[in-house]
Amino acid sequence: MAEAEESRAGGAAKPLFAGLSDVSISEDIPVEGEITVPVGSHSPDEDYSTLDEPVKDTIMRDLKAVGKKFVHVMYPKKSSALLRDWDLWGPLVLCVSLALMLQGGSADSKEDGGPQFAEVFVIIWFGAVVITLNSKLLGGTISFFQSLCVLGYCVLPLTVAMLVCRLVLLASSGTVSFIVRLVVVMAMFGWSTLASTAFLADSQPPNRKALVVYPIFLFYFIISWMILTFTPQ
């Protein structure tokens, strides 16, 4: 016990950093300087926020993005542009334009030759939602709004067909007019179907692609039928 107490007393007498007494710093090594905490450099792109940009720049940027998606639809190919940078501005504009052109006349008229605005609007968006839910239930890998974006943008060829049909009906409404409208609507129907499947096919399981394509076929067929059977007041 006495030896243990002596060893403790001897250990307590030693300095805390006894080993540092033998360390010497050479005079040739400069020791002056500043101690700073390195902060990662930020590029101008990282500090840039769309909240600070002018409204004009925001509108032009969105219009260019919508225009690029229109180009992708008119020249369909396997591309992730519609899926990566999705938006609903283009589909909304196309849906409203198509509904306005399909409207036969005033809401109070009982002799309308076409559906009303609300009917077209609901048919397009309800159909797109049903197709999207069907795609998700079958194991699709894209999100809900990505599918809505693709289906909405692919209405563009049918909107063009509706515009052509209105111009043809202004010229004449006989058999030749019907044949021209039939050819235009069938061509744009095939275009819309092929464009949508080109963007959505790879996101579905290989053994279930037919179950996804069939509702898309019906969706654009119904819109095409409304366009073909439209007769102005």
Side-chain angles (χ1 to χ4, degrees), residues 126-194:
F126 181 75
V129 169
V130 170
I131 293 174
T132 301
L133 292 177
N134 176 70
S135 172
K136 295 297 292 182
L137 292 175
L138 291 175
T141 57
I142 63 174
S143 68
F144 181 84
F145 291 105
Q146 285 177 334
S147 180
L148 285 181
C149 173
V150 171
L151 293 171
Y153 270 102
C154 291
V155 177
L156 175 62
L158 292 175
T159 306
V160 175
M162 184 65 225
L163 179 60
V164 173
C165 290
R166 289 297 297 249
L167 296 175
V168 171
L169 287 171
L170 289 177
S172 63
S173 57
T175 305
V176 177
S177 172
F178 177 78
I179 294 175
V180 172
R181 290 188 291 124
L182 177 63
V183 172
V184 171
V185 171
M186 288 182 61
M188 295 299 103
F189 162 69
W191 203 325
S192 294
T193 305
L194 290 177

Side-chain angles (χ1 to χ4, degrees), residues 30-192:
V31 295
E32 69 274 5
E34 296 180 358
I35 300 176
T36 58
V37 178
V39 179
S41 60
H42 296 280
S43 62
D45 295 337
E46 293 177 352
D47 296 333
Y48 179 75
S49 175
T50 56
L51 296 176
D52 301 328
E53 69 178 359
V55 177
K56 179 182 177 181
D57 295 343
T58 303
I59 294 175
M60 293 304 298
R61 175 170 49 81
D62 292 340
L63 288 177
K64 289 179 180 178
V66 171
K68 289 180 180 178
K69 293 182 179 67
F70 283 159
V71 173
H72 281 291
V73 173
M74 297 308 294
Y75 298 95
K77 58 181 180 179
K78 291 184 179 180
S79 174
S80 59
L82 281 178
L83 300 178
R84 184 179 62 252
D85 304 323
W86 63 268
D87 66 80
L88 298 179
W89 287 113
L92 179 61
V93 171
L94 293 174
C95 181
V96 171
S97 302
L98 187 60
L100 288 174
M101 288 188 290
L102 279 172
Q103 189 168 355
S106 62
D108 297 333
S109 175
K110 296 182 180 180
E111 297 179 357
D112 271 351
Q116 295 301 318
F117 178 89
E119 296 175 3
V120 179
F121 197 87
V122 170
I123 287 173
I124 293 177
W125 284 105
F126 181 75
V129 169
V130 170
I131 293 174
T132 301
L133 292 177
N134 176 70
S135 172
K136 295 297 292 182
L137 292 175
L138 291 175
T141 57
I142 63 174
S143 68
F144 181 84
F145 291 105
Q146 285 177 334
S147 180
L148 285 181
C149 173
V150 171
L151 293 171
Y153 270 102
C154 291
V155 177
L156 175 62
L158 292 175
T159 306
V160 175
M162 184 65 225
L163 179 60
V164 173
C165 290
R166 289 297 297 249
L167 296 175
V168 171
L169 287 171
L170 289 177
S172 63
S173 57
T175 305
V176 177
S177 172
F178 177 78
I179 294 175
V180 172
R181 290 188 291 124
L182 177 63
V183 172
V184 171
V185 171
M186 288 182 61
M188 295 299 103
F189 162 69
W191 203 325
S192 294

Side-chain angles (χ1 to χ4, degrees), residues 7-23:
S7 61
R8 290 178 183 176
K14 293 181 181 180
L16 183 61
F17 301 102
L20 295 179
S21 60
D22 300 331
V23 178

